[in-house]
Amino acid sequence: MSVHDQAAAAVLSQLALAGDGAVLGLGLAYVAVRCILKFNADSAALTKIKQAPSVRVSDLRSLSSSGDDYSTTPIDQHDDGGKLVVVRGSVEPKSALEGGGNWKSLVSAGGHGVLISQESGEKGVILQRTHTCIYNEWRGFFGWTSDLRTLFARSWKEQESSTMRTVPFILVDPERWPEPSHVVVDMEGSRHPLPLTTVYHNLRPVTATPYTFLQALFGHQYPVGLLEEEKLLPVGKEVTAIGIYNMKHETPVIKSCKDLPFFLSDLTKDQMVLDLDFKTRVLFWSGIVVGSLAVGILGYAVVRNWKRWKEWRQHRERQEQNSTSGDDPNDEEPDEDNGDVPDGELCVVCLMRRRRSAFIPCGHLVCCRRCAFTVERDLLPKCPVCRQSIRGSVRIYDS
């Protein structure tokens, strides 16, 4: 770790421990609340997935004709009249319905209805191309600018660009295809992760230029490579779709449910249940542990600050009592304190008057009365010698 990184870490640690850990406690409380909210959302999704029926594509029409008898729980019913179901099927382009189930004839006729990878030549219904610029960073002679970017922003430049193309596709039973039993997959509004397969992966180095040398000299990020990837959802791949099923114009359609973390996945229903069950357990115990730490740290910070405030109040009251009782630190014998005082008896603060006050509880006799009262008036009074917190001072008289 460089000197700049160590300084940044020290500043962040001091900020986190500010107020006797109050900032750290608030941060942990925020994390605990997020864990609990995520746990509630995943628990609700787990309950929905458990109660959703797992059917084959050929059984969907019979399911819709059976009305609401397939499930007695209202959790599967939605506002648009659809039903939450889990369907396992094979991916086929929607245009294959018009070609008698033979998508190869469609490809040979011009590639209509499917997407073809430019690099690998594989066919699919969803094609995603990603270009990622890989940056390297040498701090150079003015590398402190990179530390500022690290603290306040991840990067000033967009490092990744991605494009996605989709054609209409359906799910069918792989054993019965090309029979007409199918369900249309509606991708509109879906933000769920997709079970894409990487078909092309290439990393190309970027040729250095004089401008690259200047970037390195001033500690700026400069590109060293370009990563190109192509991912697609291939035709014939068997996936699981979990979403809202209904009939639109006598066509079976399934679309994503925003309350669920899955839509199209390689996992089966049982695997989804196990995955969500594990995540909910982790989130539950994480929320309890982090929440307990947050409560403990915040409680400690509140108690410590409350005690400090009470000590400050008591200290102010003692000062007011001393001022009203006539015990003025300025009422000292000028001849005795301001005369010829040996160096070993001078006040360590003003170096003019004789040491007269000992601090409590450390007992150090290092200040005159006037400087001792000045030290006591601080918000967090500490002994000038040992830096220990003090509660007050007492005047020492020579025998």
Side-chain angles (χ1 to χ4, degrees), residues 267-287:
L267 304 177
T268 62
K269 178 183 176 179
D270 295 336
Q271 292 173 339
M272 292 180 185
V273 170
L274 291 176
D275 182 68
L276 271 182
D277 184 67
F278 176 75
K279 289 182 180 179
T280 52
R281 291 176 185 272
V282 172
L283 289 172
F284 176 76
W285 290 110
S286 299

Side-chain angles (χ1 to χ4, degrees), residues 81-111:
K83 305 172 185 178
L84 186 65
V85 295
V86 181
V87 182
R88 183 83 176 174
S90 179
V91 176
E92 295 290 342
K94 188 177 180 182
S95 301
L97 295 175
E98 303 173 358
N102 187 4
W103 60 267
K104 294 182 179 180
S105 61
L106 297 175
V107 175
S108 61

Side-chain angles (χ1 to χ4, degrees), residues 159-176:
Q159 298 186 2
E160 180 178 305
S161 61
S162 179
T163 58
M164 180 178 292
R165 295 178 57 194
T166 305
V167 296
F169 63 99
I170 59 176
L171 294 181
V172 299
D173 281 333
E175 296 86 1
R176 299 186 178 184

Side-chain angles (χ1 to χ4, degrees), residues 128-147:
Q128 180 181 5
R129 293 189 180 94
T130 304
H131 298 271
T132 304
C133 190
I134 300 176
Y135 286 83
N136 193 6
E137 182 179 341
W138 180 62
R139 295 189 179 276
F141 299 102
F142 305 95
W144 58 271
T145 56
S146 302
D147 296 320

